[in-house]
Amino acid sequence: EVQLVESGGGLVQPGGSLRLSCTASESTFGYYAMTWVRRAPGEGLQPVSGISASAGHTYYADSVKGRFTISRDNSNNTLYLQMNSLRAEDTAVYYCAMSHCGGCYSELHHWGQGILVTVSS
Amino acid sequence: QSVLTQPPSVSAAPGQKVTISCSGSLGNIGNNLVSWYQHLPGTAPKLFIYENDKRPSGIPDRFSGSKSGTSATLGITGLQTGDEADYYCGTWDSDRQAEVFGGGTKLTVL
C-alpha cells in the first residue's frame, strides 16, 4: 500500500509563509489526484486544496484562495502546498491524501500521518 | 458552517445499531458520489465508504452507506467500543467546484 509522508510544518508568525511537502512511496503517485485536508483545533476535517494527476486542474477552499498554491512533481512523487499570508486560523494539522482516479477528488483512499502548522507570534 | 450538515454527536450501547445522517443539496450530494471517513485526532483519517455504498477492503460489513436524493447515511451495526471516533461525509460540490465535508459526527459507544 502506498505510504504518504508530510514534511515542512512548524511554527510561523502571522503573515509568514511555509511550504508543505508530501512524498509518496510509489510511482503510481503520478496517476492519481491529490488533496490537502486540515483539521484545526476543536474543528472538523476541511479539504483545503486538490490537484489532478496531470496538474491540469486545481481547486481551493474559499478560506485559502489567493494565499495557498498547490502543485506537484510527478517525477519525484511529491505534492506541495505553498502557504502565504498565514493567519492564526490556518493553525491545524495538515494531511495529504490520494484519490483512486486522476481527475476526481472524492474517495481519498490513502492518507499521510499529518503535519502540524502553528501560526502564532 | 459546513456545506454538508451532520449531527454533532450520536451514541448507542455496544452491540446496538446507529445511523449518521449527512444532508446537502442538488449541487453536491444530489449529483455526486458520497464518501465517509473515520478520524481519531492524532491519527490518519481513514476511508470507510466510497461511491455512496462501497467498502474498501478491510472495512467490516458492519459499516454500510446509502444515499437518497440530497442526503446520505452511514450505518453501523454491532457497535464496538473501538468504533468510537469522529465520522465525516464528503462529496464534490459542483457549484463551488471544490470537495466539501460535513462538520463531523462524534460517535460514543456507551
Side-chain angles (χ1 to χ4, degrees):
Chain A
E1 179 171 315
V2 65
Q3 303 296 317
L4 301 173
V5 179
E6 301 94 342
S7 61
L11 174 65
V12 61
Q13 292 188 338
S17 297
L18 214 53
R19 187 175 84 156
L20 303 183
S21 300
C22 168
T23 301
S25 60
E26 300 177 5
S27 60
T28 52
F29 169 86
Y31 292 101
Y32 301 121
M34 297 293 295
T35 299
W36 287 100
V37 178
R38 70 185 181 186
R39 185 165 186 178
E43 303 291 327
L45 292 173
Q46 178 198 21
V48 171
S49 180
I51 186 167
S52 64
S54 67
H57 180 271
T58 60
Y59 80 84
Y60 298 91
D62 287 344
S63 56
V64 306
K65 269 180 193 173
R67 301 188 299 121
F68 289 12
T69 302
I70 192 170
S71 61
R72 64 190 298 161
D73 179 351
N74 288 346
S75 64
N76 287 306
N77 301 335
T78 303
L79 172 74
Y80 301 101
L81 185 67
Q82 178 67 43
M83 305 186 294
N84 298 331
S85 303
L86 282 162
R87 306 166 180 167
E89 54 264 36
D90 295 317
T91 295
V93 176
Y94 286 73
Y95 300 93
C96 65
M98 177 184 285
S99 302
H100 263 195
C101 63
C104 67
Y105 301 100
S106 297
E107 301 180 31
L108 300 175
H109 283 255
H110 306 286
W111 293 71
Q113 286 299 311
I115 190 85
L116 178 63
V117 171
T118 303
V119 184
S120 174
S121 54
Chain B
Q1 194 81 348
S2 300
V3 175
L4 306 179
T5 301
Q6 296 180 234
S9 63
V10 296
S11 62
Q16 296 300 303
K17 172 184 175 178
V18 71
T19 60
I20 298 174
S21 61
C22 175
S23 177
S25 67
L26 207 58
N28 43 64
I29 292 178
N31 283 294
N32 294 291
L33 299 170
V34 177
S35 298
W36 288 90
Y37 303 91
Q38 181 196 65
H39 188 217
L40 278 163
T43 69
K46 189 172 184 179
L47 178 68
F48 264 56
I49 297 289
Y50 67 101
E51 291 183 6
N52 302 332
D53 57 9
K54 295 181 172 59
R55 283 176 288 106
S57 61
I59 302 302
D61 59 8
R62 300 187 296 106
F63 293 83
S64 64
S66 64
K67 189 183 97 167
S68 178
T70 59
S71 293
T73 301
L74 174 69
I76 312 172
T77 60
L79 276 171
Q80 302 174 3
T81 55
D83 297 333
E84 287 198 333
D86 300 320
Y87 292 85
Y88 296 85
C89 57
T91 189
W92 182 253
D93 190 301
S94 304
D95 297 328
R96 291 172 173 78
Q97 286 293 297
E99 183 75 3
V100 291
F101 281 8
T105 298
K106 182 177 181 60
L107 169 64
T108 301
V109 181
L110 302 168

